[in-house]
Amino acid sequence: DAGVTQSPTHLIKTRGQHVTLRCSPISGHKSVSWYQQVLGQGPQFIFQYYEKEERGRGNFPDRFSARQFPNYSSELNVNALLLGDSALYLCASSLGANQPQHFGDGTRLSIL
Amino acid sequence: RKEVEQDPGPFNVPEGATVAFNCTYSNSASQSFFWYRQDCRKEPKLLMSVYSSGNEDGRFTAQLNRASQYISLLIRDSKLSDSATYLCVVNGLNSGNTPLVFGKGTRLSVIA
């Protein structure tokens, strides 16, 4: 069975640009969460979606937005990119909102 | 106080050693607890859930002390392949908008 898949794997952008990251959950999983991980830190929660509705939002600016589609895949959008947005962006899926989460390989975003 | 705090590490141990990681959490309403393992430049992978009665999976034993808000992970007979960063993760039903809170992680290096 396919695990959580994310695309792209790597991305280079410049300040002020916009980026869209994509995630497909494990088949049957209805909850998708997004995390940002900078070097030397644990993942920081950005958003959680369950059954296409936002269930949680972390302490990130409004430049960050996300949505979940009817097939439970999800997109994370970041506008007006800053140098500090450079990080590994991880998507995780789970059966339910409070179940163990399984991570994709992540998208490594570099802002120049 | 940080929501999830872990031993700073790094831990450098010889093969065959027993090593213990500790973790404390601040939200007394937390309901679910996990240990994740993260290899360098890879995504976190679920190692084991932590149950109130304690649980064991091969060489790995996890303990939970709700009164002290303390979680531990014990690795017996360490292998070279155990070298990784171990992330303590807490999930709280009443933790506001943060379904999963990660510690910064503790790095383990097992040396031949």
Side-chain angles (χ1 to χ4, degrees):
Chain A
D1 286 342
V4 177
T5 57
Q6 291 186 242
S7 63
T9 55
H10 295 78
L11 200 52
I12 299 174
K13 292 284 189 178
T14 57
R15 282 178 295 174
Q17 284 189 310
H18 161 272
V19 69
T20 297
L21 309 181
R22 296 179 174 83
C23 172
S24 293
I26 293 170
S27 178
H29 285 194
K30 299 181 178 180
S31 177
V32 171
S33 299
W34 287 95
Y35 295 84
Q36 181 196 66
Q37 188 175 25
V38 298
L39 199 62
Q41 302 290 321
Q44 297 295 309
F45 171 71
I46 310 176
F47 287 108
Q48 184 186 48
Y49 279 78
Y50 180 71
E51 286 284 15
K52 292 154 284 184
E53 291 189 2
E54 182 182 301
R55 291 291 294 267
R57 173 185 286 254
N59 187 26
F60 280 80
D62 292 343
R63 300 184 294 108
F64 288 76
S65 63
R67 54 181 175 168
Q68 186 177 34
F69 298 100
N71 66 355
Y72 302 108
S73 67
S74 178
E75 282 183 355
L76 175 70
N77 295 285
V78 187
N79 294 323
L81 288 165
L82 302 173
L83 292 177
D85 295 331
S86 295
L88 178 67
Y89 288 84
L90 293 160
C91 174
S93 76
S94 59
L95 282 171
N98 293 320
Q99 298 295 312
Q101 298 188 2
H102 302 271
F103 287 84
D105 292 344
T107 294
R108 195 165 296 279
L109 176 64
S110 298
I111 311 302
L112 303 179
Chain B
R1 181 181 175 186
K2 292 184 179 176
E3 290 191 75
V4 179
E5 292 199 71
Q6 297 186 237
D7 283 347
F11 285 56
N12 300 310
V13 303
E15 274 186 291
T18 296
V19 60
F21 301 139
N22 303 314
C23 169
T24 58
Y25 59 96
S26 61
N27 185 355
S28 59
S30 296
Q31 298 291 323
S32 305
F33 310 90
F34 310 97
W35 284 100
Y36 279 74
R37 170 200 167 121
Q38 187 171 26
D39 293 291
C40 188
R41 301 183 71 81
K42 296 287 190 180
E43 78 280 14
K45 292 186 178 178
L46 179 66
L47 180 65
M48 58 198 303
S49 300
V50 186
Y51 302 117
S52 296
S53 55
N55 48 300
E56 187 173 309
D57 183 2
R59 298 180 293 108
F60 299 83
T61 301
Q63 297 278 349
L64 168 64
N65 184 322
R66 286 187 184 272
S68 301
Q69 295 178 210
Y70 170 94
I71 307 162
S72 66
L73 176 68
L74 184 77
I75 305 175
R76 291 182 300 278
D77 190 21
S78 300
K79 310 292 184 189
L80 293 175
S81 57
D82 293 334
S83 297
T85 296
Y86 290 83
L87 298 162
C88 175
V89 186
V90 172
N91 176 320
L93 289 178
N94 296 318
S95 61
N97 294 325
T98 311
L100 276 190
V101 182
F102 284 76
K104 290 178 67 172
T106 301
R107 195 164 77 245
L108 170 67
S109 293
V110 181
I111 305 163

